[in-house]
């Protein structure tokens, strides 16, 4: 299994632990990644909002780069997935628009043709890699770890462009994977709601109320931690958690794991290699529960 | 228990009601408006195809009037039709100014589509959501008037009228349940306008919403207002198999075909010139004949749009495409859709003049609840939306005007107290007795059998007996929910009472009219009989029994002729 | 087929608690959730209250939460929400609104926000003799928004309304677009119609910039109005109309400029670029968070450093950005 790897901006910036854990985890799973070093930001939906043609062109460039490698494109960010799927749907549908965009890419020797497969690591695991195969790789089952899924809006909505018709379980993969690695998924309503990151600059209070509210709800349902496939969500849920706790006037202290970290722990990678120390909300609680099971 | 006072009270907040309220406000009246649902939930929103007006250079109000009168099978009062058609153009432009997003042609002017029974294309439309589009704009205008505070206005949202108040001569207002609290109140007014719509729930199935239970018609009937032409019940040719949901005539206006089981466009036998766009009663009878003679499919015929440009469907018929997919598992772009005639519209209603005034002093009516009559024995498509705004406006203006010199009414407390007791007695009924839903269903199915597209003396007499039976069962039917807050069970019970009154009037009218005209087709009297029956049948309630009168049809320019399409 | 419903009941005259009640009814194969609920209230339990009217997705009365997601009950087939025959379907009233009884909510939250956005057309310019002349494209574009039946599903499930009742919300904002996008309202700033609308929507607490872009309203809308997309259109229009003062607007510009400069997002600069370098109180309030990131080794120092390198193909990115912007300017003038 080999993919063109788009790490996104945040894993190379404020969430370095995501990048590193992804490299280690995918290597151990046997998923080969060829990084798009020359890839550019997808715009995270913000550019799509203000300058949609620009967002289309920027994303098409990434698509074309992947196609030049002859590989499917994998990402580690719900937001990247959402933006890319939206742009791809538009480009695939509108031939005239696609031609215009390709004219802009031509100078770089790039061209986008419909048919590129773009999948988030979450989908790759469940669909291409397979849950059975994942179960076989687990050497350190995360028994006793109660883990709440947090999807991130853009990997769930709008469902019509996220392949839900062909893959109706895409809104359940996180729970399935949590189970596959031996942990216990926690059900709570906030799991598919918004973390608030997009309005952090504009309306900090609301943003942190959203993040804080979902963490609190998961905590009340007994979650030891949350896991998310989106580093932007991670920023609001982890990096902003102390501020969120202040805003909603509740103690939180719930570690937030990146998806590759959850998998990595279960398949036997050491926490240090997964940079479990690079979290604002310390992950020791999780490690205590999980590492005790080594050899069990 | 409270008493409220207004200059004008409008009952019903659909298109006619809101138009009346706006007109009354413009005239400076203090207006109250009661609606048992939020205004935008009114059934006006289900009208799909469009609204008529003779605005084009090559069209004239006279031609519109003639089409309407011919469509009515000459039962319409021609002076009223003249008013309707003369004022249509100006009213349409008023709607456009309010903001309705009417379809446009290439020059940016208002665009038209063809519609049934019309010799020229004069139906202005918004896709196939015209009713919804106009209703929402009318509600916006109400909010605007409220915000500007020009004259006092109060909306009694989710209040249910239990009866009109009368002192034996005049209507003084209404008694209504505040649904949210269960409290009974009185709302007095110098002029009361009934705009409560039709009675589609008398039949099963029907295109009508569950709220279309003839409330205003029955309430007016109970204080002595005559109901006119009640036997004229329009069965729309294209209602969805099963649920009876409406599929707009606009589909045929855009070129859809009607096919029987043999795949032929059978309308050539019945209306060789107008084909699918003959007037609705003609088309419904044609369909029913095909079905009865074995050329139907599972009790239906087919509406075929496969030959239409998908782009056109996307731009002009998107709602019915969704309806097909959601409610019939049919994509009209790819397959024909099964339809059959279904109860749709009440041409009859409370008798009014062209200003909405009924024979009962201070009582007015407009819209489907009224019978002016502009639709006579059969209504043309897209004339109903027009009817609501024209006569809504006129009745609102007139009620304000004539109310100016009137003294504010007052009532003794006992009136409210007696009504409260009446309602409590219903609530206190013992549990044994039929369920309201069962009675309504039994009634509806029998009406669909005996008083629908084809009628005969035997079936009509049977129905007279059935209605009487239903009334007996109703008199014993209990209400299960004894609560005060949002007691929908009680409301359904009261609505069934209204439905039964309307059913009775419909059956009596159908029995009395021994001819076929418009929507009334009698197998035992298959011909139109102008000599004896060019007149309206009026039914009035009295404790001694139903009184029957006749009213002449006003003829101005268009002597009755043979009616062919 | 057997249909099992678990309905949230609330009796205001009772002890104040909500409870769930299960019902089982036999329905035809193509029955909707509304059909089943009507069957319950007509033949099983007359005390169940819900709003419904047209049964054909046009009146908007029957919006409610089915399996925790707002939908129109009349448009929701039982087989859509019960995977296997007999699977329990949870039916609850809409969210973000007080419950009056059972499935009936107080929708004043919704109606008051509609009133807030001046929901009527304010046509400008000399009144024509007959109709205003407008293109059919403009009318068709508005028809998507006009499709809105004010059912409240988007209000029910809006993730921002859940934490902030000041937010105008998807339904009212979509309605605001319907006017903002109407060519009969003058876009000439001097006419003070559209510009005023957009200024208000941009400035008022809970306005267009408070949408968190989660697509929940797009997902639940039964009429494909796509309220969030309308809010985005309003944001674009606000920018074009010269309403630029908001943080939200600057945020968008900051993002694009970051990409033009580096090819990637420069998180360290994004905040000051958005809130304004002069916005000292706001910047100061972010310091504790920045320190936390620093302690965890997550602060992207490298991006903030002037020697940070852009991506290799940055000249192509810049070319694309400039080209697209030039073309856009040309087509809008």
């Amino acid at each position: 299994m080999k993919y063109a790897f788009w790490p996104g901006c945040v894993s190379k910036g404020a969430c370095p632990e995501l990048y590193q854990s992804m490299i280690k985890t995918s290597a151990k799973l046997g998923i080969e990644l060829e990084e798009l070093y020359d890839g550019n930001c997808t715009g995270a939906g913000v550019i799509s909002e203000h300058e949609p043609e620009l967002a289309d062109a920027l994303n098409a460039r990434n698509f074309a780069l992947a196609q030049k490698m002859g590989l499917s494109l994998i990402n580690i960010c719900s937001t990247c997935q959402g933006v890319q799927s939206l742009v791809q749907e538009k480009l695939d549908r509108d031939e005239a628009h696609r031609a215009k965009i390709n004219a802009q890419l031509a100078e770089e020797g790039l061209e986008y043709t419909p048919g590129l497969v773009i999948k988030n690591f979450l989908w790759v695991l469940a669909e291409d890699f397979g849950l059975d195969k994942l179960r076989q790789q687990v050497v350190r089952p995360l028994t006793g770890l109660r883990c709440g899924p947090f999807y991130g809006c853009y990997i769930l909505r709008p469902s019509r462009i996220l392949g839900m018709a062909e893959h109706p379980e895409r809104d359940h993969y996180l729970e399935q994977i949590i189970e596959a690695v031996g942990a216990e998924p926690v059900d709570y309503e906030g799991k598919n709601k918004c973390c608030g990151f997009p309005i952090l600059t504009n309306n900090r209070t609301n943003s942190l109320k959203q993040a804080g509210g979902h963490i609190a709800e998961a905590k009340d349902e007994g979650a030891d931690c949350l896991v998310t496939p989106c580093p932007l969500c991670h920023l609001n849920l982890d990096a902003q958690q102390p501020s969120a706790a202040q805003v909603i006037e509740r103690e939180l202290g719930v570690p937030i794991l990146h998806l590759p970290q959850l998998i990595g722990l279960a398949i036997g990678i050491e926490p240090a290699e997964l940079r479990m120390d690079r979290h604002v909300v310390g992950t020791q609680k999780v490690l205590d529960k999980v590492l005790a099971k080594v050899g069990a | 228990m409270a008493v409220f006072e207004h200059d004008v009270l409008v009952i019903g907040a659909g298109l006619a009601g809101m138009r009346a309220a706006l007109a009354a406000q413009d005239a400076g009246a203090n207006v109250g408006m009661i609606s048992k649902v939020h205004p935008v939930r009114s059934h006006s929103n289900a009208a799909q195809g469009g609204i008529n007006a003779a605005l084009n250079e090559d069209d004239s109000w006279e031609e519109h009037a003639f089409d309407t009168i011919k469509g009515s099978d000459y039962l319409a009062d021609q002076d009223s039709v003249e008013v309707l058609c003369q004022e249509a153009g100006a009213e349409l432009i008023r709607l456009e100014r309010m903001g309705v997003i009417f379809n446009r042609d290439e020059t940016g002017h208002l665009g038209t589509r063809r519609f049934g029974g019309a010799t020229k294309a004069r139906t202005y439309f918004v896709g196939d959501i015209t009713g919804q589009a106009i209703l929402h704009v009318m509600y916006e205008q109400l909010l605007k008037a409220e915000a500007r505070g020009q004259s006092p206005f109060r909306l009694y949202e989710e209040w249910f009228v239990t009866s009109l108040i009368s002192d034996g001569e005049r209507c003084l207002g209404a008694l209504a349940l505040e649904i949210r609290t269960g409290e009974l109140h009185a709302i007095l007014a110098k002029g009361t306008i009934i705009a409560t719509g039709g009675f589609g729930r008398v039949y099963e199935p029907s295109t009508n919403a569950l709220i279309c239970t003839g409330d205003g018609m029955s309430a007016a009937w109970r204080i002595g207002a005559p109901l006119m032409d009640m036997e004229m019940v329009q069965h729309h040719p294209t209602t969805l198999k099963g649920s009876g949901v409406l599929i707009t005539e606009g589909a045929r206006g855009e070129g859809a075909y009607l096919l029987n089981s043999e795949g032929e466009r059978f309308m050539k036998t019945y209306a060789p010139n107008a084909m699918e766009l003959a007037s609705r009663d003609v088309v419904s009878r044609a369909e029913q004949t095909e079905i009865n003679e074995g050329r139907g499919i599972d009790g239906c015929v087919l509406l075929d749009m496969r030959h239409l440009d998908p782009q056109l469907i996307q731009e002009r018929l998107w709602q019915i495409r969704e309806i097909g997919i959601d409610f019939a598992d049919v994509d009209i772009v790819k397959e024909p859709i099964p339809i059959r005639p279904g109860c749709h519209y009440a041409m009859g209603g409370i008798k009014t003049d062209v200003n909405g005034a009924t024979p009962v002093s201070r009582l007015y009516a407009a819209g489907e609840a009224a019978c002016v009559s502009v639709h006579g024995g059969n209504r043309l498509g897209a004339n109903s939306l027009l009817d609501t705004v024209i006569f809504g406006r006129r009745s609102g203006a007139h009620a304000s005007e004539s109310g100016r010199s009137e003294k504010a009414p007052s009532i003794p407390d006992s009136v409210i107290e007696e009504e409260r007791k009446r309602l409590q007695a219903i609530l206190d009924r013992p549990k044994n007795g039929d369920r309201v839903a069962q009675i309504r269903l039994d009634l509806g199915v029998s009406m669909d059998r005996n008083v629908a597209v084809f009628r005969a003396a035997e079936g009509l007499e049977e129905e007279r007996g059935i209605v009487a039976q239903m009334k007996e069962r109703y008199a014993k039917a209990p209400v299960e929910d004894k609560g005060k807050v949002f007691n929908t069970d009680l409301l359904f019970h009261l609505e069934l009472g209204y439905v039964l009154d309307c059913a009775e009037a419909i059956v009596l009218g159908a029995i009395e009219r021994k001819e076929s005209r418009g929507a009334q087709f009698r197998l035992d009297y298959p011909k139109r009989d102008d000599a004896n029956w060019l007149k309206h049948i009026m039914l009035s309630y009295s404790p001694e029994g139903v009184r029957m009168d006749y009213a002449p049809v006003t003829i101005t320019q268009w002597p009755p002729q043979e009616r062919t399409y | 087929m057997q249909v099992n419903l678990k309905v949230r009941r609330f009796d205001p005259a009772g002890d104040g608690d909500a409870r769930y009640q299960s019902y089982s009814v036999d329905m035809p194969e193509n029955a909707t959730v509304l059909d089943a609920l009507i069957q319950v209230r007509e033949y099983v339990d007359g005390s169940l209250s819900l709003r419904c009217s047209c049964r054909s997705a046009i009146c908007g009365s029957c919006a409610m939460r089915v399996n925790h997601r707002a939908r129109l009950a009349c448009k929701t087939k039982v087989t859509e929400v019960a995977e296997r025959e007999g699977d329990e379907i949870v039916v609850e009233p809409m969210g973000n609104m007080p419950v009056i009884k059972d499935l009936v909510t107080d929708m004043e939250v919704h109606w008051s926000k509609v009133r807030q956005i001046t929901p009527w057309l304010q046509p400008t310019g000399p009144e024509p003799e007959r109709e205003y002349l407008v293109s059919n494209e403009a009318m068709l574009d508005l028809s998507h928004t006009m499709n809105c039946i004010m059912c409240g599903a988007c209000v029910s499930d809006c993730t921002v309304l859940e934490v902030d009742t000041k937010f105008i919300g998807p339904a009212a904002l979509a309605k605001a677009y319907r006017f903002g996008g109407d060519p009969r309202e003058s876009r000439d700033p001097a006419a003070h119609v559209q510009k005023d609308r957009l200024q208000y929507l941009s400035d008022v607490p809970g306005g267009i910039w408070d949408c968190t872009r989660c697509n929940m309203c797009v997902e639940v809308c039964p009429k494909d109005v796509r309220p969030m997309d309308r809010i985005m259109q309003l944001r674009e229009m606000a920018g074009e109309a010269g309403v630029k003062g908001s943080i939200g607007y600057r945020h968008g510009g900051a993002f694009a400029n970051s990409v033009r400069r580096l090819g990637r997002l420069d998180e360290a600069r994004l905040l000051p670029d958005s809130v304004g370098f002069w916005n000292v109180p706001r910047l100061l309030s972010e310091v504790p968070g920045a320190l936390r990131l620093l302690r965890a080794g997550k602060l992207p120092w490298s991006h903030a450093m002037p020697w940070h390198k852009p991506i290799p193909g940055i000249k192509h990115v810049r070319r694309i950005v400039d080209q697209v912007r030039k073309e856009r300017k040309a087509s809008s003038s």
Side-chain angles (χ1 to χ4, degrees), chain B residues 527-538:
Chain B
K527 292 218 171 334
R528 197 177 89 197
D529 181 2
D530 287 344
N532 292 306
W533 287 104
L534 188 62
K535 58 194 178 188
H536 302 286
I537 296 174
M538 293 206 305

Side-chain angles (χ1 to χ4, degrees), chain B residues 145-165:
Chain B
E146 216 180 359
R148 301 217 167 148
Q150 280 153 333
S151 40
F153 172 76
R154 181 169 168 171
L155 170 65
Y156 299 90
E157 183 187 321
E158 290 186 322
W159 285 46
F160 184 96
V161 168
T162 59
S163 56
L164 292 173
I165 307 170

